[in-house]
Amino acid sequence: MAGFSLFVRNGLALLDGQSPHTPVRADILISDGVITAIGGEAKTMADARPDIAVLDAAGRLVTPGFINAHYHSHDTLAKGLLEQKPLETWRLLALPPQYPKRSREEIKARTLLGALECLRSGMTTVQDMVTLYPFDEEHLDAVLEAYDEIGLRAVVALQYADIKGIETIPFWKEVFPKELHGQLSTAAEPDARIDQLAYFEDTFLKTPSRFERISWALGPSAPERCTSKLVERTVRLSETYNLPIFTHIYESKGMALQARLEYPEHGGSLIRRLQAEGLLGPRLNLAHSVWLQDQEIALLAETGTNVVINPLSNMKLKSGIPPILELERAGVSLALGCDNCSCSDAQNIFQAMKLFGLMAHISDAHDQTPQAEAAYAAATTGGAHAVNRDADLGRIRPGARGDLVLFDLSDPSYVPLNSAVRQIVYTEGGRGVHTVVVDGRVVIDGGRLATMDQDRLLEQIMAVVPQFRSDYEAIERRVEKLRPYLDEAHRRIWAANVGGNRLFTGH
Ligand SMILES: [Zn+2]
């Protein structure tokens, strides 16, 4: 694949295989999107190419681009609208199945907005598990165009399901009067008009991607929303095209309880169900995994299945604290995500890394394992592993793609520079991100978008906001009427015993 060429001169870099606490001065040469040389060799080669673009990185800390391994572009316009809503209620307010069909313009604008926020936070790759409901080919084209135009690397998966949401949430069917059942939905609903997976395979998987920086993944919404038949199709596609799979597992207590009730033949375990269906393995990524049990963690480690931790949404939606330490001790590969804009509410990898570290700290009084390196690894190499790109993402080394972040070392976050990795994880909030390079191309320069007219882009986004806000307000009014039933279902879920507790340890 082609890319851009750039000579990044004089920065202090965190190189693959070296201490992330102490950066080293290193020139980096990117040729056609690939890092081809580092150090003295890079300078010699660059000197022989007088036409090459030069990026002066003096006074900058240079790291690999970060990877947002769990994200949904479908609700970027809903940031800041919601608070104190547990997961199952939040879905009704924020997720596509509740909304009238969107315009192509809105889909493109919202995708660009999320991409811009990711880039400004130093993320150069995003795994977008997008729900397009009702599905429309044009809408998927708009998503792909947006990533292509802005220059963010994207691993795109459609989020799909073939079981109705109401069948998958404990107590809903009995608590809600029958006439309200039609108003209930979850992250993805069956869409009988089109076979999304067949369309996706025929249109995108069978031919090489026509977009330089876009690759594909599969997004079965959650096992309890997918029949075994759909899981089988997912396994087949993943094997045929070597695609990573992303799904939601045990995000909330309700999802753990549903597994206990629904799968007695698998000991009430979604993980054992997935094992029986052949889905576990290095290509599978389980987003959230808050309510995993010890034996399930052992099974993930045994099979090389990965977990994507989403600290921001897990706390905001009252889902709980994921078992980070237990997963680390078992040797499960961890990645990091910023999840939905409507519940995180930020695409900010620094917030996510910091909370990852802090949640691990608070999980065990006696544990003394430093967590900054683990959080940083989850956001770089762990993310690369999740998207099946160990070889060329998440590291600065020859052969890797030229995806870099340059931090301003004069920002107070780095004065004095005691440990690069701890200050990136615990001190940086995003303010220090100065330049972002994707595939050898400067995409963010001095904190501003360099690939598109940022002011015009913001105007395009603002043009679709009034329609979105008016639809959101109508939905909010509708959901308000459902509240007594939603609250009652939650009371029952929280009173149930699922074995173990990840939440509400006080009163
Ligand atoms: Zn998600």
Side-chain angles (χ1 to χ4, degrees):
M1 272 200 266
F4 299 80
S5 296
L6 186 69
F7 180 48
V8 185
R9 190 174 59 192
N10 244 332
L12 280 178
L14 293 184
L15 302 179
D16 186 40
Q18 299 194 5
S19 165
H21 297 281
T22 322
V24 293
R25 194 158 299 285
D27 294 336
I28 299 167
L29 179 67
I30 303 168
S31 305
D32 297 329
V34 179
I35 297 175
T36 45
I38 294 170
E41 195 195 351
K43 187 172 180 329
T44 311
M45 287 166 72
D47 285 348
R49 295 169 62 178
D51 297 341
I52 196 166
V54 176
L55 180 61
D56 183 13
R60 308 271 183 258
L61 171 66
V62 185
T63 73
F66 295 97
I67 296 168
N68 190 353
H70 187 67
Y71 164 71
H72 309 273
S73 63
H74 46 243
D75 58 350
T76 66
L77 299 176
K79 62 173 66 90
L81 281 175
L82 293 155
E83 232 180 323
Q84 288 284 26
K85 304 290 181 212
L87 178 80
E88 286 78 6
T89 304
W90 160 82
R91 289 190 194 124
L92 294 176
L93 290 157
L95 299 189
Q98 287 287 318
Y99 284 72
K101 188 171 176 180
R102 313 320 293 164
S103 67
R104 192 189 200 281
E105 291 69 36
E106 182 180 313
I107 306 258
K108 186 160 178 186
R110 76 189 189 191
T111 310
L112 286 166
L113 174 63
L116 175 62
E117 198 184 355
C118 288
L119 286 163
R120 285 291 307 274
S121 176
M123 291 182 271
T124 53
T125 298
V126 64
Q127 198 285 302
D128 185 1
M129 186 181 189
V130 61
T131 304
L132 298 172
Y133 188 91
F135 183 75
D136 183 327
E137 295 92 329
E138 282 268 295
H139 287 183
L140 181 53
D141 289 344
V143 170
L144 304 178
E145 259 173 47
Y147 288 123
D148 191 48
E149 286 174 24
I150 203 165
L152 175 64
R153 195 182 296 288
V155 181
V156 176
L158 291 169
Q159 181 165 205
Y160 54 82
D162 65 349
I163 297 176
K164 279 177 168 248
I166 188 167
E167 307 289 340
T168 67
I169 297 168
F171 310 118
W172 271 18
K173 269 172 107 171
E174 54 198 84
V175 164
F176 284 91
K178 225 176 166 129
E179 64 272 20
L180 295 178
H181 287 193
Q183 294 185 32
L184 302 173
S185 65
T186 177
E189 292 289 317
D191 190 343
R193 296 162 314 104
I194 181 168
D195 185 336
Q196 278 190 53
L197 266 184
Y199 171 78
F200 187 58
E201 182 181 13
D202 290 342
T203 314
F204 299 104
L205 302 183
K206 287 182 174 169
T207 51
S209 177
R210 51 196 164 95
F211 302 99
E212 294 277 348
R213 285 164 301 274
I214 296 176
S215 59
W216 315 110
L218 297 162
S221 183
E224 68 271 21
R225 293 168 215 150
C226 298
T227 59
S228 292
K229 213 174 139 216
L230 192 57
V231 171
E232 266 168 41
R233 278 184 80 190
T234 302
V235 172
R236 184 186 61 74
L237 284 172
S238 171
E239 281 170 358
T240 308
Y241 300 100
N242 191 24
L243 297 182
I245 304 164
F246 290 80
T247 193
H248 296 93
I249 283 273
Y250 292 145
E251 180 170 354
S252 66
K253 187 174 181 183
M255 289 164 81
L257 180 60
Q258 180 67 14
R260 307 291 180 267
L261 300 170
E262 186 82 19
Y263 306 112
E265 72 277 28
H266 299 295
S269 164
L270 282 172
I271 303 299
R272 271 185 237 150
R273 179 194 148 188
L274 293 182
Q275 184 189 32
E277 291 171 344
L279 202 68
L280 298 188
R283 277 195 299 264
L284 179 65
N285 300 282
L286 306 177
H288 306 294
S289 306
V290 174
W291 292 80
L292 283 171
Q293 295 186 303
D294 290 348
Q295 316 89 291
E296 295 178 314
I297 292 174
L299 211 46
L300 299 185
E302 225 174 275
T303 52
T305 305
N306 316 303
V307 166
V308 188
I309 303 285
N310 297 274
L312 298 162
S313 57
N314 288 165
M315 296 181 89
K316 184 97 186 278
L317 298 176
K318 300 179 187 284
S319 296
I321 296 180
I324 294 172
L325 290 173
E326 289 86 341
L327 288 160
E328 285 178 358
R329 287 172 192 150
V332 174
S333 179
L334 300 181
L336 199 58
C338 297
D339 211 0
N340 298 69
C341 287
S342 62
C343 64
S344 277
D345 296 353
Q347 296 310 312
N348 185 317
I349 201 73
F350 307 103
Q351 291 182 0
M353 283 193 285
K354 184 167 185 167
L355 268 183
F356 176 107
L358 298 183
M359 292 197 314
H361 285 202
I362 200 72
S363 295
D364 182 343
H366 306 289
D367 188 87
Q368 297 188 10
T369 324
Q371 289 295 324
E373 285 190 50
Y376 176 77
T380 52
T381 51
H385 185 66
V387 298
N388 207 358
R389 299 282 294 266
D390 288 296
D392 68 348
L393 296 182
R395 295 175 167 85
I396 302 179
R397 66 174 179 195
R401 302 303 301 185
D403 295 1
L404 303 173
V405 183
L406 277 64
F407 294 89
D408 178 4
L409 282 170
S410 70
D411 186 276
S413 298
Y414 301 101
V415 183
L417 187 62
N418 293 317
S419 156
V421 70
R422 287 203 193 103
Q423 284 161 268
I424 288 169
V425 171
Y426 294 125
T427 318
E428 179 64 74
R431 191 179 56 212
V433 173
H434 184 276
T435 309
V436 178
V437 176
V438 182
D439 242 12
R441 173 162 66 155
V442 173
V443 178
I444 299 291
D445 183 10
R448 275 189 76 83
L449 189 58
T451 48
M452 297 176 83
D453 182 334
Q454 185 171 307
D455 294 334
R456 252 201 82 208
L457 169 58
L458 294 177
E459 278 168 26
Q460 282 164 11
I461 293 163
M462 288 315 293
V464 301
V465 167
Q467 182 64 52
F468 171 79
R469 277 298 294 266
S470 117
D471 290 340
Y472 170 78
E473 280 155 21
I475 288 163
E476 196 179 34
R477 288 192 292 273
R478 188 168 77 207
V479 173
E480 186 55 31
K481 291 187 193 134
L482 305 176
R483 216 167 110 185
Y485 310 107
L486 287 164
D487 290 351
E488 174 57 21
H490 275 118
R491 262 193 293 280
R492 293 190 195 186
I493 288 169
W494 283 325
N497 179 8
V498 297
N501 183 29
R502 307 300 313 173
L503 242 189
F504 309 138
T505 49
H507 295 286

